[in-house]
Amino acid sequence: MQARHIRIPSRPQAWVACALAVAMAWGGSAMARDLVVALKTEPTSMDPQYHALTPNIQLSQTLFESLVLSDDNLALKPGLAESWTSDGNTWTLKLRPNVKFSDGSPFTAEDVVFTYDRAPKVPNSPSSFKIYLQQVTKVEAIDPLTVRITTAQPYPLLPNNLVGLPILSAKAAAGPAPEGKTTTELNAGNGLVGTGPYKFASWKRGAEIVFERNPHYWGPKPAWDKVIYRPISNPAARVASLLSGDVDLIEDPPTDDLERLKKDSKLSVVTKSSNRVIYVALDQNGEQTSTLQDAGGKNPLLDRRVRQALSLAIDRQALVDRIMGGVATPAAQLLPPPMFGTSKNLVKAEKADPARAKQLLAEAGYPNGFSITLGTPNGRYINDSKVAQTVASMWSRIGVKTSVDATAPAVFFKNRDSYSYSAYLAGWGTATGEMSNTLTSLLVTPDKDKGLGTTNRSRYSNPEMDKLVAQAGLTMDDTQRAALLAKASEVAMADYAMLPIHYEHSVWAMKKDVRFAGRADQQTMVQYATEAK
């Protein structure tokens, strides 16, 4: 093979021209730049309606868009809908004109109808998107740019709920299955067509996910030609990748490394208060539960005194100070005040009282305690397995001998969804920024057909709380609705329905030339990342 020689011009202007020519000859742009992001958790699916989980949502909301969007503090703003109005049980949404999908086809009201019809049909969803359509009885395309949504009753939360329903292309996602293209097909990129700033390129499980800029995007041109996501579950490995220059931005660096990273002149660290609560759920379905021993064949978690004892054993402030490195706030309810529907009476977290906890156990008939296993993901939430180990130690001190089952997030969620744990540690954050969906998902009595209690894996049931949440869902007046939700939260927390531990503060670390402000919903949305000037 004959060697190729490139003559380098002597003049600077000619050198620049030559460099540009060489770059273009290799099919690239001299100004092109990719963004490499280290994810702490790989998504479970690319199907935007399969699993309501942050690692999935942050990617689907980059490929797709919803009619209503939320800003970094979760305030609502127009998305694919420019406006929405309500007349009793009827909502009319005016769609944004001249929007195209990533395949160049036009976005119309028919795509909205298809998307909302598909959501409840997706099989085997671990956390169904049906919850966002719980009051919807009809979705109609009045004309190409007008959608009418009818609800069973006046439903003030509809715009909030629409944030969670990104729109698919009816043309691309159609198929012979009841839901159209299946989750398996969408995971392979077949039918994965949206209106978002980026389009799907490839997914090599365990290695990388690649998005490319959507040339048909209607909004501001995103900063990056290509985004490469690399799932790196080990926090130390994420930091090492950033320090070596292999990645540009990482999620959740270890709390022990934050001061060192902040002092590095080549890096920036961003901290953002989030709406994510870390909680412990306790199985209250019946006398038979999975991981309890030495309890006389009973389920002690059915006794409020036992649940209170487990809560009083937990020193939340010590967890925040020693395990979380201060990037958290002790929690007294399932969303941090002043978010909508939170209670002003539940601001300060309960103080630890091990002596009172032991007394309550004795009163409940367990003076010698019992044995239990606490399930937890390892790498899904900030210091999740460390928090679980510390909670286990605190429980063991009051006589509840606790072992920890820490597994990879995908394994944990599979176990949790099959009710394999008597107690488990997990997290919850709501895209709507208010208490209604939190209570409806986590604590309302499960009803699969109505989309209620979709993540209520403790199977808790309290008719008084259910009634308050249902009443709030029909109350159009914001002040009255907020009061009802606050009361429902107070009822649940007084019953120790589940044990809130702390609210996470989200942290991102990045190269100095990357700017990302962070979001209260903890989502790493690359469309909001820019090059620092």
Side-chain angles (χ1 to χ4, degrees):
M1 180 182 293
Q2 186 175 4
R4 293 179 61 195
H5 299 278
I6 299 175
R7 177 175 174 270
I8 301 176
S10 58
R11 290 181 299 169
Q13 296 92 337
W15 162 251
V16 172
C18 180
L20 287 169
V22 170
M24 295 305 295
W26 285 100
S29 166
M31 300 304 292
R33 181 174 174 190
D34 300 340
L35 180 72
V36 184
V37 179
L39 301 173
K40 64 178 180 180
T41 304
E42 187 170 20
T44 59
S45 175
M46 285 294 151
D47 183 341
Q49 296 179 331
Y50 175 69
H51 195 177
L53 190 70
T54 297
N56 296 29
I57 293 169
Q58 65 185 19
L59 269 64
S60 68
Q61 293 276 11
T62 301
L63 297 176
F64 303 87
E65 294 173 298
S66 305
L67 298 190
V68 183
L69 302 178
S70 61
D71 66 15
D72 57 357
N73 289 312
L74 308 188
L76 300 185
K77 63 179 183 179
L80 292 178
E82 288 188 317
S83 65
W84 49 92
T85 56
S86 172
D87 180 13
N89 295 17
T90 303
W91 290 80
T92 301
L93 299 98
K94 295 294 184 180
L95 305 184
R96 191 176 297 276
N98 304 317
V99 173
K100 293 182 179 181
F101 286 99
S102 59
D103 63 359
S105 61
F107 158 70
T108 72
E110 293 295 343
D111 300 299
V112 178
V113 173
F114 169 82
T115 297
Y116 293 176
D117 179 68
R118 182 182 187 270
K121 296 178 180 178
V122 177
N124 305 314
S125 171
S127 184
S128 176
F129 285 75
K130 185 177 181 179
I131 187 174
Y132 298 122
L133 297 167
Q134 57 188 284
Q135 289 287 340
V136 173
T137 59
K138 186 187 295 185
V139 181
E140 303 170 273
I142 303 306
D143 61 46
L145 293 178
T146 306
V147 173
R148 179 186 296 150
I149 299 178
T150 305
T151 56
Q153 305 171 78
Y155 190 55
L157 294 178
L158 185 70
N160 302 70
N161 285 354
L162 296 186
V163 173
L165 291 165
I167 305 302
L168 292 85
S169 163
K171 175 184 175 183
E179 70 273 25
K181 288 290 193 301
T182 65
T183 297
T184 299
E185 289 175 305
L186 291 170
N187 285 342
N190 185 4
L192 208 63
V193 175
T195 64
Y198 288 92
K199 63 179 182 177
F200 178 82
S202 63
W203 182 15
K204 297 177 182 177
R205 286 185 184 269
E208 68 176 24
I209 303 161
V210 180
F211 290 175
E212 296 174 349
R213 184 186 281 146
N214 175 7
H216 302 289
Y217 184 52
W218 61 270
K221 182 179 179 180
W224 321 101
D225 287 349
K226 182 186 295 183
V227 178
I228 302 167
Y229 300 95
R230 292 179 182 160
I232 305 176
S233 60
N234 183 284
R238 287 198 298 277
V239 170
S241 294
L242 179 65
L243 293 175
S244 68
D246 289 342
V247 303
D248 301 303
L249 183 152
I250 66 172
E251 300 178 318
D252 288 341
T255 53
D256 292 343
D257 289 340
L258 291 183
E259 288 306 312
R260 176 167 66 99
L261 295 175
K262 289 176 182 178
K263 293 176 182 178
D264 192 321
S265 61
K266 298 178 181 179
L267 303 177
S268 296
V269 176
V270 171
T271 302
K272 178 82 172 180
S273 296
S274 84
N275 68 348
R276 182 173 300 283
V277 64
I278 300 300
Y279 64 87
V280 170
L282 305 169
D283 185 12
Q284 298 161 64
N285 182 54
E287 292 296 349
Q288 299 298 317
T289 186
S290 300
T291 55
L292 272 170
Q293 299 175 3
D294 312 319
K298 296 182 179 180
N299 178 5
L301 302 177
L302 295 174
D303 193 315
R304 178 190 176 277
R305 293 170 295 184
V306 172
R307 300 195 298 272
Q308 183 181 5
L310 294 174
S311 180
L312 287 171
I314 301 171
D315 190 333
R316 292 164 171 82
Q317 189 62 57
L319 274 168
V320 166
D321 293 341
R322 300 171 193 169
I323 306 302
M324 296 299 294
V327 291
T329 303
Q333 54 187 313
L334 297 179
L335 274 183
M339 288 194 170
F340 191 90
T342 54
S343 170
K344 296 178 181 178
N345 299 320
L346 296 172
V347 176
K348 290 189 176 181
E350 189 173 52
K351 288 187 177 181
D353 190 343
R356 175 60 177 154
K358 291 179 181 179
Q359 182 182 352
L360 286 166
L361 286 176
E363 291 175 4
Y366 303 96
N368 300 317
F370 49 87
S371 298
I372 193 170
T373 298
L374 178 64
T376 180
N378 185 9
R380 171 63 190 91
Y381 311 106
I382 301 174
N383 295 338
D384 42 16
S385 61
K386 291 182 180 179
V387 171
Q389 291 285 355
T390 307
V391 169
S393 176
M394 292 172 176
W395 282 359
S396 295
R397 289 190 193 118
I398 65 166
V400 178
K401 296 173 284 294
T402 308
S403 59
V404 173
D405 181 20
T407 59
V411 176
F412 165 80
F413 286 113
K414 183 178 179 180
N415 291 341
R416 182 202 68 174
D417 295 342
S418 61
Y419 305 103
S420 298
Y421 302 121
S422 296
Y424 66 83
L425 180 141
W428 174 266
T430 174
T432 65
E434 66 134 293
M435 185 63 78
S436 179
N437 277 332
T438 298
L439 293 175
T440 301
S441 296
L442 293 180
L443 290 178
V444 164
T445 303
D447 187 326
K448 186 175 181 180
D449 292 337
K450 294 181 180 179
L452 302 175
T454 52
T455 315
N456 184 354
R457 306 306 185 201
S458 61
R459 294 170 284 188
Y460 175 78
S461 181
N462 185 323
E464 180 185 1
M465 190 208 71
D466 288 356
K467 184 177 179 180
L468 288 166
V469 174
Q471 187 178 352
L474 302 176
T475 303
M476 300 297 287
D477 182 272
D478 284 352
T479 302
Q480 294 178 17
R481 186 168 76 257
L484 288 165
L485 291 170
K487 178 61 177 176
S489 185
E490 291 168 6
V491 168
M493 295 300 97
D495 200 25
Y496 295 90
M498 61 173 37
L499 313 181
I501 307 299
H502 60 255
Y503 309 117
E504 286 187 346
H505 297 178
S506 297
V507 185
W508 292 265
M510 63 207 76
K511 292 179 180 177
K512 204 73 174 181
D513 60 350
V514 176
R515 179 173 293 148
F516 180 66
R519 292 177 57 86
D521 55 17
Q522 299 190 306
Q523 295 179 19
T524 306
M525 290 191 173
V526 296
Q527 58 265 49
Y528 302 120
T530 61
E531 289 191 84
K533 302 298 184 182

